Amino acid sequence: IFSVCDWTLFRGYKSPPDIYAIYGRTDQMPFSPVRFDYQVRAYEQQKTAFSEYTKTAFFTDNIVINGEPVSTSWRGIDANLFSLFGIKLHLGRNFLPDECQEGHADVVIINDNFWKKNFEGKPDVLGKQLRVGASLCTIVGILPAEIPNYLYADVYRPLVFRLDPKDPGRVQYNVFARLRPGVSQAQALATLESLKLDQPAEIKFWDTNDHPL
């Protein structure tokens, strides 16, 4: 696990000191920034070392405004991601927990550059719509100009988390967590190491000796 405060200090963004990124390592790959759905579920069920988790994943889809494609990817995020990092929206609101459910995720938050480039930085952008793949989504928030580059995207949608036994490696997640007061980094890592993970046989490309890092 890595403190995102230390990790990003030289990039000019001050992240909360108690937020950690959970990565992994295998015999084949000494460093992997992504986690799979079965790992994410096991981590989130563990509350001893960390008090709160959040996750994000990249997806590829055309972003279309008024019939014109303007981008080709978006980031799915948990409803608590921005609040966990202390990021306050410039305009509008964060996602609601219910919007991270199937059939309720047709809302988006856009970044400052995307807003200025495609909507001339006008505040009446809230409530306007754009198309993400096949979904028509309503803009509910605008991010501030400064955000951590490891969370950067043009467009954000609520992340609908699904365990997919048939294709458990389809979505690759970045996982972050808030360390509980009084718990050391070493203790937190030991707790994650002790989790029993049943790796699906479908992930044949991944080393079975996978450990949190």
Side-chain angles (χ1 to χ4, degrees):
I1 62 176
F2 293 85
S3 166
V4 296
C5 179
D6 295 338
W7 181 28
T8 61
L9 196 58
F10 67 94
R11 294 184 175 94
Y13 187 89
K14 186 66 173 178
S15 295
D18 57 347
I19 305 300
Y20 283 76
I22 301 175
Y23 291 156
R25 58 180 169 83
T26 73
D27 292 340
Q28 297 173 345
M29 187 180 298
F31 174 82
S32 172
V34 299
R35 305 281 78 195
F36 298 116
D37 57 15
Y38 71 98
Q39 295 166 321
V40 172
R41 177 57 57 87
Y43 296 158
E44 291 181 336
Q45 291 174 345
Q46 186 284 127
K47 302 294 185 182
T48 303
F50 297 100
S51 60
E52 186 176 3
Y53 293 84
T54 194
K55 57 189 176 293
T56 176
F58 256 114
F59 299 88
T60 300
D61 270 313
N62 282 330
I63 311 297
V64 178
I65 300 174
N66 298 325
E68 295 293 328
V70 295
S71 186
T72 58
S73 65
W74 54 278
R75 186 186 287 272
I77 65 170
D78 279 345
N80 68 334
L81 184 136
F82 293 137
S83 61
L84 190 71
F85 280 88
I87 298 172
K88 296 182 179 180
L89 270 63
H90 176 66
L91 288 175
R93 64 168 177 85
N94 274 311
F95 296 139
L96 306 175
D98 287 348
E99 290 170 338
C100 290
Q101 303 298 319
E102 197 79 51
H104 299 277
D106 290 340
V107 291
V108 295
I109 292 171
I110 59 178
N111 76 23
D112 182 77
N113 289 334
F114 189 87
W115 172 45
K116 291 174 179 175
K117 179 179 179 180
N118 295 286
F119 297 97
E120 300 178 340
K122 294 180 179 180
D124 65 355
V125 67
L126 298 179
K128 292 186 181 296
Q129 293 183 315
L130 53 78
R131 189 168 292 279
V132 181
S135 301
L136 189 62
C137 299
T138 301
I139 299 171
V140 298
I142 311 295
L143 284 175
E146 184 178 302
I147 61 170
N149 62 356
Y150 55 88
L151 297 179
Y152 188 88
D154 286 335
V155 175
Y156 303 78
R157 287 185 70 184
L159 179 61
V160 179
F161 180 71
R162 308 176 184 90
L163 283 173
D164 188 350
K166 294 183 179 179
D167 191 5
R170 182 177 64 86
V171 180
Q172 300 179 2
Y173 299 91
N174 298 122
V175 182
F176 304 93
R178 184 187 301 279
L179 195 67
R180 285 192 178 278
V183 176
S184 69
Q185 181 176 345
Q187 289 171 327
L189 182 57
T191 298
L192 295 180
E193 287 271 14
S194 69
L195 295 178
K196 302 299 183 182
L197 301 178
D198 295 323
Q199 182 176 2
E202 288 79 6
I203 303 186
K204 300 181 186 301
F205 58 87
W206 200 252
D207 195 318
T208 55
N209 188 24
D210 182 273
H211 302 280
L213 183 66

